[in-house]
Amino acid sequence: MRSLLSIFKKIKFKKADISKASHPDSVSFKERYGCFQQLLADNKSILETMADMEEKLSGDYMLDMHYVDTKCNILVEKVQSIIENLNTLSNDKYPGLYDAFEKINSVIENTLIKNIEIPVTDFTIPFEDVTKDMVRSVGGKNANLGEINNRLNLPVPKGFCISAHAFKRFMDYNELVDKINVSAVDTNSMEDLTRVSKAAQNLVLNASVPPDLEKSISDAALELERKAGHKTGGFYTSVRSSAIHEDAQFTFAGQYKTALNIAPKDVVSAYVEIIASLFTSRAIFYCKSKGFHVEDMVMAVGVVEMIDAKASGVVYSRDPMDEDSRGIIINGVWGLGKYAVDGIVKPHSYVISRDISAPILEKKQPVQPFMLICGLEGGAIDVRVPDYIKRMPCISDEQAITLAEYAMVLEKHYGKPQDIEWALDLNDNLLILQSRPLRIIAKKQSKPVPRYLPGHKILINKGQIACKGVGAGKVHFVTNDEELNSFPEGAVLVAKHTSPRFVTAMNKASAIIADVGSPIGHMASIAREYSVPTILNAGIAMKTLKAGQEITVDAINVNIYEGRIEQLLKAEKKDDTFKDTVVFEVLRGVLQSLVPLNLIYPEDEKFSPQYCETFHDITRFAHEKAMNEMFKLGEGAHQKKGGAVKLIVKLPLDIRVIDLGGGVENASDRIKVDNIACIPMKALLKGMMSIEWPGPPPVNVKGLLSVIASTAMQPNPEQSLSEPSFAVISKEYMNFSIRLGYHLQTLEAYAGDSINDNYIRFLFRGGGASHDRRARRTRLIKELLEKIDFRVDRTGDVLDGRVTKYDRTTIEKKLGVMAKLTAFTKQLDMTLFNDSVVDWYVKEFIKKHYVE
């Protein structure tokens, strides 16, 4: 029964735990790339873990607190790793992430670790001193009985509580907290449950009761016997569980042991048996399936005078299967109530109206063959129902009406329907044995969503679900910020690929469709946070759908229908039974510190560690900055030429390669294209070698003079023309700084198996022509990049473009197009003498080199 706190202390991320020693000014390429690789792997793991936790929140799965604890442990460790690797990669540029982490981690810890504070009380407390406010001291069942006795003045048996503080004393005295471990038990494995249960119960049953606790219980039992002195014959008790959460929001009905007809001298041993029942396999399963921590498993016990019942049973203040019913249901049996609550025999039943005019609506009286009664020397025995009462009702009509009146009083007092146990003693006195909340099953209003709906045209039936649900509206394409800003209420957002920027429209969107995207990506997480039905990787939505077209998005069966289909929109909502459990309350709270994304725009001044409010913010920030840091590798390659080998290739480029590991096979002083194992580099070289590189363009005198004039103004022009191009590569990564005369372009790419890691970034700057010709060249390249789905920022004659989250094959194809673009735009400055020429070149490239 190890404390969660002890586990969490091992993973708690404190500034003192982190090595913040300054990294060397010069970290090797391989070390930096290793940090980058680990950061990408951690980022993928974090996004997958958060997506899994969000999916569990749907209510379709049964889970326990061990699941939440384990997932949080993973996230804590992975986010810690991301922060450390980013700071190694950046030479400790982002120390503020440590403080952001500690702040967020503290909130998560407080959400997860809510140990029950057990008040210090006497070991035993008489019912006369108990009210419903004392649940933490005496458990739910005892607190309710004390409340009913002391505040409602309804009849209950005399008795006392063995407190939660007594339980703590018992557990501490025998050091059972550290010996019993049920947190990691697999609730899906009966074998595992049985094994853990048996070990825990044996530890309890073989434990010793502390002398001071034993004396307190024995004294209280003798005092209870004194109070019941009017009884003739031997005095016996009923020893009943009263766990802290029992008979509250969750009933724990039938999960723990009840010891009937126990002599006062045997109450202490019965108490130990009740404690042991806390760890039966079914009790462990119930507790964990309802989402309680092992720390929540605290057992108080009630000891009441044993009612030698003539009849017993249960009252439901409402019909649990019909929320609109006005009837009060009473079930009863001859003898002790165990046969009624366990369903051993068919009970007598009454339906009592809440209206005074016609109180008894229905009465059934089956013949009862057996009954359970108190044994003369303790215990309970099974006997035949005497013939003279076998066909008689176990309670009179008047007694049934009295029980109904008790039920209405209890329901009004607690403010919710009640499940009540009662007994009728040998003197015809009715007594309340317990009262707890009654769960009412709400009516189901509609049908499940059909897999296909005949008679309706399906436009698209492929993709991946990022957020389940059904939505309908008019198609609104989003290809730029303007279209996002003008997003109309209730429309369906359709895009080429996902973007966290879509968050600004999610409170308006009825559904989202993207041709490219990852269900564990940033936008997918936001879609789940906003509960927007979302289908990703539809592939053909941008081509198939039309702007303004009315569609219905079934993100349950991955169908996109033509038109608005009300039948699907009114489809049955899933049962939220599990969403009422403690584990879902904790999971919802934890996810608030994990998933919401506040850092969306890298160009925003608030895109910084101090504004990170969730783990998602930290990973988004770190991923963005890590790519920026890796982009600088190309610049470093020019300064650190050691280790670079020449690539022999029939291209008008002098290419030198630095291998970070896995990028080159059979390396030597000179390598050929066949030696390149780097996925993005191979794709780029393939494209470069598939196109004829242009020679000098037709001389335009004005353009030539422009180049000469600009060249004269540049420092070391001869060096610029002669410098080699450097490629820093690994198996999946490439950073290629390409020198084309006076132009420098850097092409960085990652092409692996994880779609979330894959990207291409392109930086272009410089030129040897006049300002207007350089501007036309950058305009030409910008328009061509946007044709192949790049997001491009242009500042003067500097372009910065990127594309992200495509599968490896698509990244390779786009790199092939980029290769052709590099060759196509070589030395165009001299020919771009007006804007119409730019337009012509754009059309020419698309016609010859780009097919969607």
Side-chain angles (χ1 to χ4, degrees), residues 365-385:
Q365 186 183 310
V367 175
Q368 180 180 334
F370 302 98
M371 61 190 295
L372 193 67
I373 63 171
C374 293
L376 294 177
E377 297 181 359
I381 57 175
D382 181 268
V383 298
R384 288 185 174 276
V385 177

Side-chain angles (χ1 to χ4, degrees), residues 368-420:
Q368 180 180 334
F370 302 98
M371 61 190 295
L372 193 67
I373 63 171
C374 293
L376 294 177
E377 297 181 359
I381 57 175
D382 181 268
V383 298
R384 288 185 174 276
V385 177
D387 290 338
Y388 73 94
I389 61 170
K390 185 179 293 185
R391 300 182 184 280
M392 294 173 58
C394 63
I395 55 174
S396 67
D397 290 354
E398 291 76 14
Q399 290 166 337
I401 293 171
T402 298
L403 285 172
E405 290 170 349
Y406 288 172
M408 286 189 284
V409 170
L410 289 167
E411 181 180 291
K412 180 179 180 180
H413 180 73
Y414 286 106
K416 60 186 66 176
Q418 294 292 297
D419 170 357
I420 306 152

Side-chain angles (χ1 to χ4, degrees), residues 330-357:
I330 301 173
N331 287 334
V333 295
W334 289 108
L336 300 178
K338 182 175 174 60
Y339 279 6
V341 296
D342 289 352
I344 303 297
V345 298
K346 192 172 183 179
H348 299 195
S349 65
Y350 295 79
V351 178
I352 309 297
S353 173
R354 291 172 176 270
D355 301 321
I356 300 175
S357 57

